[in-house]
Amino acid sequence: MPTDVRWPFFEEHHRALHRDLHAWAREHLDFREPEDVDAACRARVAALGRDGWLRYCVPRSDGGVLESVDTRSLCLIRETLAYYDPLADFAFAMQGLASAPLVFSGTPEQRRRFLQRVVSGDAIAAFALSEENAGSDAAALATEATPSGDGYLLSGEKTWISNGGIADVYVIFARTGEGARARGISAFAVDGKREGLSTSRRIATLSPHPLGTIRLDRCAVGGDSLVGEPGEGFRLAMRTLDVFRPSVAAAALGFGRRALDAALAHAAERHVFGRPLLDFQLTQAALAEMATALDAGSLLTYRAAWTHDVAGERATKEAAMAKMFATENAQRIIDRAVQIFGAVGVTKGNVAERLYREIRALRIYEGATEVQQMVIAREIAARRDARIGVGV
Ligand code: COS
């Protein structure tokens, strides 16, 4: 049961996208876990590029489908891909995440050089913000970009980088020193084959995805690699996350909806004590709570996307609420699905077992739940005087 696209957040083109992508996903995607995750990721990027789905990551002027990047479309795509194939969702998300800083602030030349290949699926993209000592506290990053000739020398290490090791292009955030912390960071678009850029470590995770540590050893980049103004990198990263955090929520919805559908089917078929599992009120209570949390998560997710797309506002609080709620609840929903499956639910190859591992990272990446709580609290505190009808 996907999100109901008749809701007023959506327009006719969203309904068409939803219908067409479900049909495509049913035909082209495979839920089974691949043996070679790098090869599988490359194949997903190529297929998503070939059939035009990556065109939703850029505006029409850069070869996109829509006039501007539409958060509701990104969310519908991630929700759908996550339902059919977690790795396809990952592949789509990373192409979009790394494209966003260029969409916001890239020069025409950078757009031509990077975005076209990313959108066609010919180049795999990565967004390199995190470091060993700068995860939640992104402004603490220490990778340095030192001016050299008419360009920069990048030195440092970025870690937990999705697609790190297989990416053809990286958006790298480094300290240029215009100011302290967030005010002294800039973004750079760097070719993955650049001398001085190497993968120092691949990271194995609970559910395998391409992930790695990138080492920058006096990696020389031209001044034309700088994305946006010097010192603007942190804000660019945050603007990107405002768009992509709702999409993480949407992926969690896709996982959760898959878990609910699988649990429902199992509960209807499985007989215990002479009756279908579904006849037991305890099963019904679990399923009812799962379905309600999913719809509540959808409402928050598409509210955040709508606020960004239609109201045209900075949707920082809405994005954080959606990500926190949808990912935390998807974890519980999937855990309940495992419980409904019983021993089968912890057996390798079972849909609930796979989802149980897939969902965990979503509560951490692109801002852990605790970061979202911090963001929400800050946003409501900052606006407390602006609220209508404060009568306390
Ligand atoms: N959009 C635009 N600008 C933003 C912004 C947003 N959503 N959020 C913050 N900024 C701006 C602020 O306005 C501020 O600008 P000025 O210096 O001009 O005042 C600047 O960025 C610094 O913001 P702030 O002071 O809030 O920075 P903090 O260091 O306190 O960090 C959080 C804030 C926690 C929100 C940030 O570090 C964060 O999101 N961390 C999680 C990072 C993350 O998601 N990592 C995962 C990596 S990607 S997988």
Coordinates of all heavy atoms in Angstrom, one line a residue, residues 115-194:
L115 N 27.1 17.3 -14.2 CA 25.7 16.9 -14.1 C 25.3 16.0 -15.2 O 24.5 15.0 -15.0 CB 24.8 18.1 -14.0 CG 24.9 18.8 -12.7 CD1 23.9 20.0 -12.7 CD2 24.6 17.9 -11.5
Q116 N 25.7 16.3 -16.5 CA 25.2 15.5 -17.6 C 25.5 14.0 -17.4 O 24.7 13.1 -17.6 CB 25.8 16.0 -18.9 CG 25.1 17.2 -19.4 CD 25.7 17.7 -20.7 OE1 26.6 17.1 -21.3 NE2 25.2 18.9 -21.2
R117 N 26.8 13.7 -17.0 CA 27.2 12.3 -16.8 C 26.5 11.7 -15.6 O 26.2 10.5 -15.6 CB 28.7 12.3 -16.6 CG 29.6 12.7 -17.8 CD 30.9 13.1 -17.4 NE 31.7 12.1 -16.7 CZ 32.7 12.3 -15.8 NH1 32.9 13.6 -15.4 NH2 33.3 11.3 -15.3
V118 N 26.2 12.5 -14.6 CA 25.6 11.9 -13.4 C 24.1 11.5 -13.8 O 23.6 10.5 -13.4 CB 25.6 12.9 -12.2 CG1 24.8 12.4 -11.1 CG2 27.1 13.1 -11.8
V119 N 23.5 12.4 -14.5 CA 22.1 12.2 -14.9 C 21.9 11.1 -15.9 O 20.9 10.4 -15.9 CB 21.5 13.5 -15.3 CG1 20.1 13.4 -16.0 CG2 21.4 14.5 -14.1
S120 N 22.9 10.9 -16.8 CA 22.7 9.9 -17.8 C 23.1 8.5 -17.2 O 22.8 7.5 -17.8 CB 23.7 10.1 -19.0 OG 25.0 10.1 -18.5
G121 N 23.7 8.5 -16.0 CA 24.0 7.3 -15.3 C 25.4 6.8 -15.8 O 25.9 5.7 -15.4
D122 N 26.2 7.7 -16.5 CA 27.5 7.3 -17.0 C 28.5 7.5 -15.9 O 29.6 7.0 -15.9 CB 27.9 8.1 -18.2 CG 27.1 7.8 -19.4 OD1 26.7 6.6 -19.4 OD2 26.8 8.6 -20.2
A123 N 28.2 8.4 -14.9 CA 29.2 8.7 -13.8 C 28.5 8.4 -12.5 O 27.3 8.9 -12.3 CB 29.7 10.1 -13.9
I124 N 29.2 7.8 -11.6 CA 28.6 7.6 -10.2 C 29.1 8.7 -9.3 O 30.3 9.2 -9.4 CB 29.1 6.2 -9.7 CG1 28.4 5.1 -10.5 CG2 28.8 6.0 -8.2 CD1 28.7 3.7 -10.1
A125 N 28.2 9.3 -8.5 CA 28.5 10.5 -7.8 C 28.5 10.2 -6.3 O 27.9 9.3 -5.8 CB 27.4 11.5 -8.1
A126 N 29.3 11.1 -5.6 CA 29.4 10.9 -4.1 C 29.4 12.3 -3.5 O 30.0 13.3 -4.1 CB 30.6 10.2 -3.7
F127 N 28.9 12.4 -2.3 CA 28.8 13.7 -1.5 C 29.7 13.5 -0.3 O 29.4 12.7 0.6 CB 27.3 13.8 -1.1 CG 26.9 15.0 -0.3 CD1 26.6 16.2 -0.9 CD2 26.8 15.0 1.1 CE1 26.2 17.3 -0.2 CE2 26.4 16.1 1.8 CZ 26.1 17.3 1.2
A128 N 30.8 14.2 -0.3 CA 31.8 13.9 0.8 C 31.9 15.1 1.8 O 32.6 16.0 1.6 CB 33.2 13.7 0.1
L129 N 31.1 14.9 2.8 CA 31.0 15.9 3.9 C 31.7 15.4 5.2 O 32.5 16.0 5.8 CB 29.5 16.3 4.2 CG 29.2 17.3 5.3 CD1 29.8 18.7 5.0 CD2 27.7 17.4 5.5
S130 N 31.3 14.1 5.6 CA 31.7 13.6 6.9 C 33.2 13.3 7.0 O 33.8 13.0 6.0 CB 30.9 12.3 7.2 OG 29.6 12.6 7.1
E131 N 33.6 13.4 8.2 CA 35.0 13.0 8.6 C 35.0 12.3 9.9 O 34.0 12.3 10.6 CB 35.9 14.3 8.7 CG 36.0 15.0 7.4 CD 36.9 16.3 7.5 OE1 37.5 16.5 8.6 OE2 36.9 17.1 6.5
E132 N 36.1 11.7 10.2 CA 36.2 10.9 11.4 C 35.8 11.7 12.6 O 35.0 11.2 13.5 CB 37.7 10.5 11.6 CG 38.0 9.5 12.7 CD 37.7 8.1 12.3 OE1 37.9 7.8 11.1 OE2 37.3 7.3 13.2
N133 N 36.1 13.0 12.7 CA 35.8 13.8 13.8 C 34.7 14.9 13.5 O 34.6 15.9 14.1 CB 37.0 14.5 14.4 CG 37.9 13.5 15.1 OD1 37.5 12.6 15.8 ND2 39.2 13.5 14.7
A134 N 34.0 14.7 12.4 CA 33.0 15.6 12.0 C 31.8 14.9 11.3 O 31.8 14.8 10.1 CB 33.6 16.7 11.0
G135 N 31.0 14.2 12.1 CA 29.8 13.5 11.6 C 28.6 14.4 11.9 O 28.2 15.2 11.0
S136 N 28.1 14.3 13.1 CA 27.0 15.2 13.5 C 27.4 16.6 13.5 O 26.6 17.5 13.1 CB 26.4 14.8 14.9 OG 25.8 13.5 14.8
D137 N 28.6 16.9 13.9 CA 29.1 18.2 14.0 C 29.9 18.5 12.7 O 31.1 18.6 12.7 CB 30.0 18.4 15.2 CG 30.5 19.9 15.4 OD1 30.0 20.7 14.6 OD2 31.3 20.1 16.2
A138 N 29.1 18.7 11.6 CA 29.7 18.8 10.3 C 30.6 20.0 10.2 O 31.6 20.0 9.4 CB 28.6 18.9 9.2
A139 N 30.3 21.1 10.9 CA 31.1 22.3 10.8 C 32.5 22.1 11.4 O 33.4 23.0 11.3 CB 30.4 23.5 11.5
A140 N 32.8 21.0 12.1 CA 34.1 20.7 12.7 C 35.1 20.1 11.6 O 36.2 19.8 12.0 CB 34.0 19.8 13.9
L141 N 34.6 20.0 10.4 CA 35.5 19.3 9.4 C 36.9 19.9 9.3 O 37.0 21.2 9.4 CB 34.8 19.1 8.1 CG 34.5 20.3 7.2 CD1 35.7 20.7 6.4 CD2 33.3 20.0 6.3
A142 N 37.9 19.1 9.0 CA 39.3 19.6 9.1 C 40.0 19.5 7.7 O 41.1 20.0 7.6 CB 40.0 18.8 10.1
T143 N 39.4 18.8 6.7 CA 40.0 18.7 5.4 C 40.3 20.1 4.9 O 39.4 21.0 5.0 CB 39.1 17.9 4.4 OG1 39.1 16.6 4.8 CG2 39.6 18.0 3.0
E144 N 41.5 20.3 4.5 CA 41.9 21.7 4.1 C 42.0 21.9 2.6 O 42.4 21.0 1.9 CB 43.3 22.0 4.7 CG 43.2 22.4 6.2 CD 44.5 23.0 6.7 OE1 45.5 22.8 6.1 OE2 44.4 23.6 7.8
A145 N 41.6 23.1 2.2 CA 41.8 23.5 0.8 C 42.7 24.7 0.8 O 42.3 25.8 1.2 CB 40.5 23.8 0.1
T146 N 44.0 24.5 0.4 CA 44.9 25.6 0.5 C 45.1 26.2 -0.9 O 45.3 25.5 -1.9 CB 46.3 25.1 1.0 OG1 46.1 24.0 1.9 CG2 47.1 26.1 1.6
P147 N 45.0 27.6 -1.0 CA 45.2 28.2 -2.3 C 46.6 27.8 -2.9 O 47.6 27.8 -2.1 CB 45.1 29.7 -2.1 CG 44.3 29.8 -0.8 CD 44.7 28.6 0.0
S148 N 46.6 27.5 -4.2 CA 47.9 27.2 -4.8 C 47.7 27.5 -6.3 O 46.9 27.0 -7.0 CB 48.1 25.7 -4.6 OG 49.1 25.2 -5.5
G149 N 48.6 28.4 -6.7 CA 48.4 28.9 -8.1 C 47.0 29.5 -8.3 O 46.5 30.2 -7.5
D150 N 46.4 29.1 -9.4 CA 45.0 29.6 -9.6 C 44.0 28.5 -9.1 O 42.8 28.6 -9.4 CB 44.7 30.0 -11.0 CG 44.9 28.8 -12.0 OD1 45.2 27.7 -11.5 OD2 44.6 29.0 -13.2
G151 N 44.4 27.6 -8.3 CA 43.5 26.6 -7.7 C 43.7 26.3 -6.3 O 44.1 27.2 -5.5
Y152 N 43.5 25.1 -5.9 CA 43.7 24.7 -4.4 C 44.3 23.3 -4.3 O 44.3 22.5 -5.3 CB 42.3 24.6 -3.8 CG 41.5 25.8 -3.7 CD1 40.7 26.2 -4.8 CD2 41.5 26.6 -2.6 CE1 39.9 27.4 -4.8 CE2 40.7 27.8 -2.5 CZ 39.9 28.2 -3.6 OH 39.2 29.3 -3.6
L153 N 44.9 23.1 -3.2 CA 45.4 21.8 -2.8 C 44.5 21.2 -1.7 O 44.4 21.9 -0.7 CB 46.9 21.8 -2.3 CG 48.0 22.1 -3.4 CD1 49.3 22.3 -2.7 CD2 48.0 21.1 -4.5
L154 N 43.9 20.1 -2.0 CA 43.0 19.5 -1.0 C 43.8 18.4 -0.2 O 44.4 17.5 -0.8 CB 41.8 18.8 -1.6 CG 40.9 19.7 -2.5 CD1 39.7 18.9 -3.0 CD2 40.4 20.9 -1.8
S155 N 43.7 18.5 1.2 CA 44.4 17.5 2.0 C 43.5 17.2 3.2 O 43.0 18.0 3.9 CB 45.7 18.1 2.5 OG 46.6 18.3 1.5
G156 N 43.4 15.8 3.4 CA 42.6 15.4 4.6 C 41.9 14.1 4.2 O 42.3 13.4 3.2
E157 N 41.0 13.7 5.1 CA 40.3 12.4 4.9 C 38.8 12.5 5.1 O 38.4 13.1 6.1 CB 40.9 11.4 5.9 CG 40.9 10.0 5.3 CD 41.8 9.0 6.1 OE1 41.6 8.9 7.3 OE2 42.7 8.4 5.5
K158 N 38.1 12.1 4.2 CA 36.6 12.1 4.3 C 36.2 10.6 4.5 O 36.7 9.7 3.8 CB 35.9 12.6 3.1 CG 36.4 13.9 2.5 CD 36.3 15.0 3.5 CE 35.0 15.8 3.5 NZ 35.1 16.9 4.5
T159 N 35.3 10.4 5.5 CA 34.9 9.0 5.7 C 33.4 8.8 5.8 O 32.6 9.8 5.9 CB 35.6 8.5 7.0 OG1 35.5 7.0 7.0 CG2 35.0 9.0 8.2
W160 N 33.0 7.5 5.7 CA 31.5 7.1 5.6 C 30.9 7.7 4.4 O 29.8 8.2 4.4 CB 30.7 7.5 6.9 CG 31.3 7.0 8.1 CD1 31.5 5.7 8.4 CD2 31.8 7.7 9.3 NE1 32.0 5.6 9.7 CE2 32.2 6.8 10.2 CE3 31.8 9.1 9.6 CZ2 32.7 7.2 11.5 CZ3 32.3 9.5 10.8 CH2 32.8 8.5 11.7
I161 N 31.7 7.8 3.3 CA 31.2 8.4 2.1 C 30.6 7.3 1.2 O 31.2 6.3 0.8 CB 32.4 9.0 1.3 CG1 33.2 10.0 2.2 CG2 31.9 9.7 0.0 CD1 32.4 11.1 2.9
S162 N 29.3 7.5 1.0 CA 28.5 6.5 0.2 C 29.1 6.7 -1.2 O 29.3 7.8 -1.7 CB 27.0 6.9 0.2 OG 26.5 6.6 1.5
N163 N 29.3 5.5 -1.9 CA 29.9 5.4 -3.2 C 31.4 5.7 -3.1 O 32.0 5.7 -4.2 CB 29.2 6.3 -4.3 CG 27.9 5.7 -4.7 OD1 27.7 4.5 -4.6 ND2 27.1 6.5 -5.3
G164 N 31.9 6.0 -1.9 CA 33.3 6.2 -1.8 C 34.1 5.0 -2.3 O 33.8 3.9 -1.8
G165 N 34.9 5.1 -3.2 CA 35.7 4.0 -3.8 C 35.2 3.6 -5.2 O 36.0 3.1 -6.0
I166 N 33.9 3.9 -5.5 CA 33.5 3.6 -6.8 C 33.0 4.8 -7.6 O 32.6 4.8 -8.8 CB 32.3 2.5 -6.9 CG1 31.0 3.0 -6.2 CG2 32.8 1.2 -6.2 CD1 29.8 2.2 -6.6
A167 N 33.0 6.0 -6.9 CA 32.5 7.2 -7.5 C 33.4 7.7 -8.6 O 34.6 7.6 -8.5 CB 32.2 8.3 -6.5
D168 N 32.8 8.3 -9.6 CA 33.6 9.0 -10.7 C 33.7 10.4 -10.4 O 34.6 11.1 -10.9 CB 32.8 8.8 -12.1 CG 32.7 7.3 -12.4 OD1 33.7 6.6 -12.5 OD2 31.5 6.8 -12.4
V169 N 32.7 11.0 -9.7 CA 32.8 12.4 -9.3 C 32.4 12.6 -7.8 O 31.5 11.9 -7.3 CB 31.9 13.3 -10.2 CG1 32.3 13.3 -11.6 CG2 30.4 12.9 -10.1
Y170 N 33.1 13.5 -7.2 CA 32.9 13.8 -5.8 C 32.6 15.3 -5.6 O 33.2 16.1 -6.2 CB 34.1 13.5 -4.9 CG 34.4 12.0 -4.8 CD1 35.2 11.4 -5.8 CD2 34.0 11.3 -3.7 CE1 35.5 10.0 -5.7 CE2 34.3 9.9 -3.6 CZ 35.0 9.3 -4.6 OH 35.3 8.0 -4.5
V171 N 31.6 15.6 -4.7 CA 31.5 16.9 -4.2 C 32.1 16.9 -2.8 O 31.6 16.2 -1.9 CB 30.0 17.4 -4.2 CG1 29.9 18.8 -3.5 CG2 29.5 17.5 -5.6
I172 N 33.2 17.6 -2.7 CA 34.0 17.5 -1.4 C 33.9 18.9 -0.7 O 34.1 19.9 -1.3 CB 35.5 17.2 -1.8 CG1 35.5 15.8 -2.5 CG2 36.4 17.3 -0.5 CD1 36.9 15.5 -3.0
F173 N 33.6 18.8 0.6 CA 33.6 20.0 1.5 C 34.9 20.1 2.2 O 35.4 19.1 2.9 CB 32.4 19.9 2.4 CG 31.1 19.9 1.7 CD1 30.5 18.7 1.2 CD2 30.4 21.1 1.4 CE1 29.3 18.7 0.4 CE2 29.2 21.1 0.7 CZ 28.7 19.9 0.2
A174 N 35.5 21.2 2.1 CA 36.8 21.4 2.7 C 37.0 22.8 3.3 O 36.2 23.7 2.9 CB 37.9 21.2 1.7
R175 N 37.9 23.0 4.3 CA 38.0 24.2 5.0 C 38.9 25.2 4.2 O 40.1 24.9 3.8 CB 38.7 23.9 6.3 CG 38.8 25.1 7.2 CD 38.9 24.7 8.7 NE 37.8 24.0 9.2 CZ 36.6 24.5 9.5 NH1 36.4 25.8 9.3 NH2 35.6 23.8 9.9
T176 N 38.4 26.3 3.8 CA 39.1 27.4 3.1 C 39.5 28.5 4.0 O 40.2 29.4 3.6 CB 38.3 27.8 1.8 OG1 36.9 27.8 2.1 CG2 38.6 26.9 0.6
G177 N 38.8 28.6 5.2 CA 39.3 29.5 6.2 C 38.8 30.9 6.1 O 39.4 31.8 6.7
E178 N 37.7 31.2 5.5 CA 37.2 32.6 5.4 C 36.7 33.0 6.8 O 36.7 34.2 7.1 CB 36.0 32.7 4.4 CG 36.4 32.6 3.0 CD 36.7 31.1 2.6 OE1 36.3 30.2 3.4 OE2 37.4 30.9 1.6
G179 N 36.3 32.1 7.6 CA 35.8 32.4 9.0 C 35.9 31.1 9.8 O 36.4 30.1 9.3
A180 N 35.5 31.2 11.0 CA 35.5 30.0 11.9 C 34.4 29.0 11.6 O 33.4 29.4 10.9 CB 35.4 30.4 13.4
R181 N 34.6 27.8 11.9 CA 33.7 26.7 11.8 C 32.9 26.8 10.4 O 33.5 26.8 9.4 CB 32.7 26.7 13.0 CG 33.4 26.1 14.2 CD 32.5 26.0 15.4 NE 31.2 25.3 15.1 CZ 31.0 24.0 15.2 NH1 32.0 23.2 15.5 NH2 29.8 23.5 14.9
A182 N 31.5 26.9 10.5 CA 30.7 26.8 9.3 C 31.0 27.9 8.3 O 30.8 27.7 7.1 CB 29.2 26.9 9.7
R183 N 31.6 29.0 8.8 CA 31.8 30.1 7.8 C 33.1 30.0 7.0 O 33.3 30.9 6.2 CB 31.8 31.4 8.6 CG 30.4 31.7 9.2 CD 30.3 33.1 9.7 NE 28.9 33.3 10.0 CZ 28.4 34.4 10.6 NH1 29.2 35.4 10.9 NH2 27.1 34.6 10.8
G184 N 33.8 29.0 7.3 CA 35.1 28.8 6.5 C 35.2 27.6 5.7 O 36.3 27.0 5.5
I185 N 34.0 27.1 5.2 CA 34.0 25.9 4.5 C 33.5 26.1 3.0 O 32.6 26.9 2.8 CB 33.1 24.8 5.2 CG1 33.6 24.5 6.5 CG2 32.8 23.6 4.3 CD1 32.7 23.7 7.4
S186 N 34.2 25.4 2.1 CA 33.8 25.6 0.7 C 33.5 24.2 0.0 O 34.0 23.2 0.5 CB 34.9 26.3 -0.1 OG 35.1 27.6 0.5
A187 N 32.8 24.2 -1.1 CA 32.5 23.0 -1.8 C 33.3 22.9 -3.1 O 33.5 23.9 -3.7 CB 31.0 22.9 -2.0
F188 N 33.7 21.7 -3.4 CA 34.5 21.5 -4.6 C 34.0 20.3 -5.4 O 33.6 19.3 -4.8 CB 36.0 21.2 -4.3 CG 36.7 22.4 -3.6 CD1 36.6 22.5 -2.2 CD2 37.3 23.3 -4.3 CE1 37.2 23.6 -1.6 CE2 37.9 24.4 -3.7 CZ 37.9 24.5 -2.3
A189 N 33.8 20.5 -6.7 CA 33.4 19.3 -7.6 C 34.7 18.7 -8.1 O 35.5 19.4 -8.8 CB 32.5 19.8 -8.7
V190 N 35.0 17.5 -7.8 CA 36.3 16.9 -8.1 C 36.1 15.5 -8.9 O 35.3 14.7 -8.5 CB 37.1 16.6 -6.8 CG1 38.5 16.1 -7.2 CG2 37.3 17.9 -6.0
D191 N 36.9 15.4 -9.9 CA 36.9 14.2 -10.7 C 37.5 13.0 -9.9 O 38.5 13.2 -9.2 CB 37.7 14.3 -12.0 CG 37.3 13.3 -13.0 OD1 37.8 12.1 -12.8 OD2 36.5 13.6 -13.9
G192 N 36.9 11.9 -9.8 CA 37.3 10.7 -9.0 C 38.7 10.2 -9.4 O 39.4 9.6 -8.6
K193 N 39.2 10.6 -10.6 CA 40.5 10.1 -11.1 C 41.6 11.1 -10.8 O 42.7 10.8 -11.2 CB 40.4 9.8 -12.6 CG 39.5 8.6 -12.9 CD 39.9 8.1 -14.3 CE 39.0 6.9 -14.7 NZ 37.6 7.3 -14.9
R194 N 41.2 12.2 -10.2 CA 42.2 13.2 -9.9 C 43.4 12.7 -9.1 O 43.2 11.9 -8.1 CB 41.5 14.3 -9.1 CG 42.2 15.6 -9.1 CD 41.6 16.5 -10.2 NE 42.5 17.5 -10.5 CZ 42.6 18.2 -11.7 NH1 41.7 17.9 -12.6 NH2 43.4 19.1 -11.8

